[in-house]
Amino acid sequence: MSEQIMSENTVDQLPLLINDILASKSGTELNSLLENLDTTLFNDQYPLLIEAVPLDKRLAVWSHFTIDIQRITFIQVKNETRLWLVDVLSDEQCFELLAEIDLEELLEIAEALPDRFLTYAIKQLDESQKALYQQAQQYDESELGHNLDYDYVRISEKLKVTSAKRLIKKGLNIYTDEFYTVNKQGILTGVVNINTLLNADDSAILSDLIEPNFLKLNATTEVEEASEALILSEKMSLPVCDESGLFMGRFTVASAYYFKEAEAAKKLNQSGGLNNDEDLFATVSQSAKNRGIWLGINLLTAFLASGVIGLFEVTLQQVVLLAVLMPVVASMGGISGSQTLTLIVRGLALGQITEANLKALLIKELKVGLTNGIIWSVIIGSITYLWFNDLGISLVLGVAILGNLIAAAASGVLIPSILNRLNIDPALSGSVLLTTVTDVVGFLVFLGLGSMFLL
């Protein structure tokens, strides 16, 4: 119970500490505040702290970290923050941070390290780790072969049960619930459950306990796909092999959840047009550069919608009420489409949507759009009539709402499905395209009907 209370208090310390750091008026006050920093937070909170502090105070905070905390933080911060550290620290300080780096940590940050530091870090590895590093470099960062865990138990299928039990007594690495058995060539031949081994007779041969039907992953599998497969298997880890069946390493449930969380965070940032590695306090020029492309795309779609409005300039001049009510059409279509889009993107991410059920899903969403369109067109049309006492405008608005909600439903299904088929993340650009469609269709129907029936 006491440990839980301590943990909760420690978690609460981070926002309080950030406030105190920002409120400090002098270097002396800041130094006093950070004097016992190494006992204040959990290890995983130090990267959050350093990224939450503006650049003018960040180096002072960093200098109060112990070397061990600095090493942990250097590995865990975002790429932009790591590059900032490399820029402001001396080469000797950076070398010290990399002096005790292990293989998996190096693989995690290698792509973001300047060449001189990457070369130094590789030299710190022993020969077996260097070989594994070179093996990992044969695979893309998104592939499983680049992201393996090498803390596993690989044993010969000819081993005796007594010998295997001795290995257990020496201690097992975390997430180990199975031994992986290999032949002389290193080909994976099966797995042996730890509990099965413990209950086996000492005189037995390990090959008698091997489960020949087992799950394994291929090194070329995408990490996101492998993460889903491991979580669904309810295993603590799964063995990974190359195309020839050669055992390479394992993929653990901790890594699976880490990659799923990282992918979710990436999609969340991309949906807002943000760089996944953008530092909270990156320079103004860097942040502006990161977001500029997305603003440009949005500008093009806005001009497209404005171009549609421009086609009906004469109509708007003569029927001013149409301009007053245009936001209603765009808003209703945008919200309805976003609801469908969210549902479809989630279904695609979970693998629930296929070619087989897409048509049925489209029909269902069109029916939903039609139903909501009828209901809300009547409601909005009635409110408009009571407000302006103009039956013509009320009917035009009602029909436009109906048409836009149907278009929004169709777009919410088709846009993410098409983007997914083109290997474009629907979470990245789906919402922008959807908004464009609902704006263009809504304005075109609303102003077009206004031109036909109100002039």
Side-chain angles (χ1 to χ4, degrees):
M1 185 66 175
S2 59
E3 291 182 357
Q4 181 181 359
I5 294 175
M6 181 186 70
S7 297
E8 290 175 352
N9 290 338
T10 305
V11 170
D12 292 340
Q13 287 300 312
L14 180 59
L16 296 176
L17 182 59
I18 294 171
N19 287 340
D20 291 341
I21 290 172
L22 298 182
S24 60
K25 302 297 184 182
S26 65
T28 302
E29 185 179 349
L30 182 61
N31 290 336
S32 176
L33 178 65
L34 300 175
E35 188 173 359
N36 298 313
L37 185 59
D38 59 327
T39 61
T40 305
L41 304 173
F42 289 123
N43 286 347
D44 289 345
Q45 291 181 301
Y46 291 101
L48 299 177
L49 172 63
I50 204 70
E51 291 175 342
V53 176
L55 299 182
D56 59 336
K57 292 187 176 181
R58 185 175 289 181
L59 195 57
V61 174
W62 173 264
S63 65
H64 283 80
F65 289 1
T66 65
I67 184 60
D68 289 336
I69 294 299
Q70 287 181 349
R71 285 171 177 155
I72 292 171
T73 302
F74 187 76
I75 299 299
Q76 294 185 0
V77 291
K78 293 183 175 69
N79 283 341
E80 279 195 7
T81 309
R82 188 181 301 110
L83 290 174
W84 176 84
L85 286 168
V86 167
D87 188 51
V88 299
L89 298 176
S90 67
D91 280 10
E92 289 72 20
Q93 289 174 309
C94 292
F95 289 146
E96 187 176 10
L97 293 175
L98 298 169
E100 297 181 12
I101 193 169
D102 64 32
L103 172 61
E104 292 171 22
E105 291 172 339
L106 179 56
L107 287 171
E108 185 177 341
I109 68 171
E111 298 296 326
L113 280 180
D115 289 343
R116 66 185 185 281
F117 297 121
L118 178 58
T119 301
Y120 174 83
I122 293 174
K123 287 181 179 179
Q124 308 313 303
L125 304 177
D126 60 34
E127 292 305 315
S128 63
Q129 288 181 320
K130 288 178 182 177
L132 291 174
Y133 178 82
Q134 294 303 323
Q135 172 187 282
Q137 295 309 302
Q138 299 174 20
Y139 297 91
D140 187 79
E141 271 191 289
S142 64
E143 293 179 324
L144 196 52
H146 190 86
N147 300 281
L148 295 180
D149 174 62
Y150 300 102
D151 292 331
Y152 52 79
V153 179
R154 177 181 59 182
I155 55 180
S156 170
E157 61 184 356
K158 302 297 184 182
L159 203 64
K160 293 182 178 180
V161 167
T162 51
S163 300
K165 285 184 177 180
R166 290 194 197 103
L167 293 175
I168 297 177
K169 291 180 180 179
K170 292 180 180 180
L172 296 175
N173 293 313
I174 191 171
Y175 307 118
T176 300
D177 55 359
E178 293 176 330
F179 282 167
Y180 306 126
T181 59
V182 296
N183 60 19
K184 290 182 179 180
Q185 291 74 39
I187 301 296
L188 182 67
T189 58
V191 300
V192 176
N193 185 275
I194 299 296
N195 290 329
T196 301
L197 177 63
L198 290 173
N199 293 323
D201 188 276
D202 288 350
S203 61
I205 303 297
L206 200 62
S207 57
D208 297 333
L209 308 178
I210 291 177
E211 299 176 16
N213 299 318
F214 58 93
L215 291 173
K216 65 178 180 179
L217 300 170
N218 192 289
T220 57
T221 303
E222 293 290 312
V223 172
E224 189 174 355
E225 180 183 342
S227 299
E228 191 69 26
L230 174 54
I231 292 171
L232 291 175
S233 75
E234 299 184 349
K235 297 277 189 180
M236 298 298 290
S237 63
L238 286 176
V240 180
C241 302
D242 65 9
E243 296 293 339
S244 64
L246 188 69
F247 178 71
M248 296 179 60
R250 68 173 183 169
F251 189 53
T252 68
V253 69
S255 296
Y257 279 108
Y258 168 80
F259 283 114
K260 282 187 73 69
E261 290 177 2
E263 185 64 22
K266 178 182 177 181
K267 289 182 177 179
L268 179 63
N269 286 330
Q270 287 180 334
S271 66
L274 298 177
N275 183 337
N276 192 50
D277 288 316
E278 184 171 329
D279 190 335
L280 275 175
F281 288 99
T283 62
V284 173
S285 60
Q286 185 63 48
S287 293
K289 178 182 176 182
N290 289 341
R291 305 175 199 184
I293 295 177
W294 194 257
L295 291 174
I297 294 173
N298 186 70
L299 179 62
L300 291 175
T301 62
F303 272 128
L304 179 59
S306 298
V308 172
I309 296 173
L311 297 174
F312 300 95
E313 182 179 358
V314 175
T315 303
L316 289 171
Q317 288 176 349
Q318 297 186 39
V319 189
V320 180
L321 289 181
L322 291 176
V324 175
L325 295 170
M326 279 170 51
V328 177
V329 179
S331 176
M332 291 298 291
I335 292 174
S336 178
S338 296
Q339 292 171 338
T340 306
L341 179 75
T342 301
L343 181 70
I344 300 303
V345 169
R346 184 180 66 185
L348 289 170
L350 295 175
Q352 296 173 306
I353 298 176
T354 66
E355 294 291 335
N357 65 8
L358 183 60
K359 181 178 179 181
L361 188 57
L362 174 60
I363 293 173
K364 176 255 182 180
E365 288 300 320
L366 286 173
K367 290 179 179 178
V368 173
L370 177 62
T371 302
N372 276 332
I374 293 172
I375 294 172
W376 286 102
S377 63
V378 171
I379 294 174
I380 294 172
S382 300
I383 293 173
T384 304
Y385 180 75
L386 294 174
W387 187 3
F388 297 110
N389 195 29
D390 191 318
L391 182 60
I393 285 183
S394 301
L395 291 174
V396 166
L397 180 60
V399 174
I401 293 291
L402 174 60
N404 207 17
L405 261 61
I406 294 174
S411 302
V413 174
L414 295 176
I415 287 175
S417 300
I418 293 172
L419 291 175
N420 188 63
R421 188 178 300 175
L422 296 174
N423 293 320
I424 300 173
D425 188 352
L428 173 62
S429 51
S431 59
V432 172
L433 294 177
L434 175 71
T435 301
T436 303
V437 170
T438 54
D439 283 354
V440 169
V441 171
F443 295 152
L444 192 60
V445 174
F446 184 47
L447 298 177
L449 291 174
S451 298
M452 293 172 61
F453 298 108
L454 300 180
L455 293 183

